[in-house]
Amino acid sequence: MTNLKIGSILTIGATALGAFYLGSYTERRSNNQEFGPNKLSRLPGLPAFATVSAASLIPANETNLRATPSRISQIMKYGFPGLDHVRSQSDYVLSYDRRNRVPHWVFEHLTAESVAKNDAVDRAKSEFRPDESIHPFFRAQNTDYRRSGYDRGHMAAAGNHRLHQKHCDDTFLLSNMAPQVGQGFNRDAWNTLETHVRKLTKSYTNVYVCTGPLYLPHKEDDGKMYVKYEVIGSNTVAVPTHFYKVIVSEADDRKLHMEAYIMPNKVISNDTPLQVFQVPPETVERAAGLLFFDQLNRQQLASINGKKV
């Protein structure tokens, strides 16, 4: 190899190495400026390696609503149930199940302000749409639900996000949906539970709710237990057998009140009280394979499902 070639190779290598270190230095400075101790509030359990974009309560006249770290910190105050494909929209956080094309869990932080009627927000203007942030291999489409016999069931309810039209719009992303029986469940019993959650904001300063699907086993004629569920559409979107909500309400005195529900994805009689579906929180955790509110100080819990602890 000639001296000229060796010199060229060394020059290129030195340039590349210099560019690498310059880029690393610039990135560190940028990160420090954006996420320094005076810039970022506490992010409970926020993993540096996870796919997370954040969210913030931005004034309603702000048109370019984007997720911010402070809002993520607020929503996830009591910890992340899991860290699989975590991402957020403008006013909620979710973990996406790429195999089943539905969420693992969706987390919301509600206040009286966020659920109050707002004439500037109209859910009729919102459209169901695929989540373009999901890889096409794992993305649900509207065509998957068409003629399936199932509703596109919200995990983060549209009625929970009325501060801004974009907040409402983001709840119509299909990454926030799971197939639900329509008449008798999504439009009835499940809606009753969603309404109950919103009513909690009248009594409590902050309400935190985690919602998601379950695939529970059942015994068949051969005496064996099986987990079986339908899939719909060309993308094989899973139809959950059940859905859960785990709720923590925060009172002015900082006492916390927890509720947990599991509801079957089927027609439920309108006269069935919600209390029938209350379960111990650990029942949901075992079934979902998740730990809810694990950063919560259990000594602050005043009640679970209405019973003093």
Side-chain angles (χ1 to χ4, degrees), residues 93-114:
V93 180
L94 67 86
S95 167
Y96 189 69
D97 182 347
R98 297 197 301 182
R99 184 173 70 88
N100 286 324
R101 281 66 158 161
V102 297
H104 288 296
W105 53 263
V106 177
F107 231 105
E108 303 167 89
H109 164 239
L110 310 182
T111 64
E113 182 185 13
S114 69

Side-chain angles (χ1 to χ4, degrees), residues 23-148:
S24 299
Y25 173 73
T26 303
E27 185 178 6
R28 283 197 303 272
R29 286 200 61 185
S30 174
N31 288 340
N32 288 339
Q33 290 173 357
E34 184 175 0
F35 300 111
N38 296 325
K39 300 285 184 179
L40 181 64
S41 58
R42 185 175 71 94
L43 300 181
L46 182 64
F49 54 82
T51 305
V52 179
S53 55
S56 176
L57 282 172
I58 302 173
N61 60 0
E62 179 63 58
T63 58
N64 185 26
L65 286 177
R66 294 182 64 85
T68 63
S70 61
R71 182 57 176 148
I72 278 287
S73 180
Q74 194 174 34
I75 296 170
M76 307 309 300
K77 177 178 179 179
Y78 294 115
F80 286 74
L83 300 176
D84 188 21
H85 304 292
V86 178
R87 61 192 64 228
S88 77
Q89 303 304 330
S90 56
D91 204 38
Y92 64 89
V93 180
L94 67 86
S95 167
Y96 189 69
D97 182 347
R98 297 197 301 182
R99 184 173 70 88
N100 286 324
R101 281 66 158 161
V102 297
H104 288 296
W105 53 263
V106 177
F107 231 105
E108 303 167 89
H109 164 239
L110 310 182
T111 64
E113 182 185 13
S114 69
V115 304
K117 180 177 172 54
N118 182 353
D119 292 335
V121 176
D122 183 1
R123 69 172 286 159
K125 296 179 180 178
S126 303
E127 296 182 353
F128 291 100
R129 65 194 192 278
D131 188 339
E132 300 294 333
S133 74
I134 305 294
H135 190 285
F137 288 179
F138 317 119
R139 190 186 301 161
Q141 301 285 347
N142 282 312
T143 52
D144 294 317
Y145 286 85
R146 191 170 300 151
R147 301 188 187 90
S148 68

Side-chain angles (χ1 to χ4, degrees), residues 214-235:
L214 293 172
Y215 309 88
L216 299 186
H218 69 279
K219 184 179 289 187
E220 296 205 342
D221 293 340
D222 61 4
K224 296 180 181 179
M225 300 289 285
Y226 294 88
V227 175
K228 290 186 178 181
Y229 54 90
E230 184 181 353
V231 296
I232 59 173
S234 60
N235 292 298

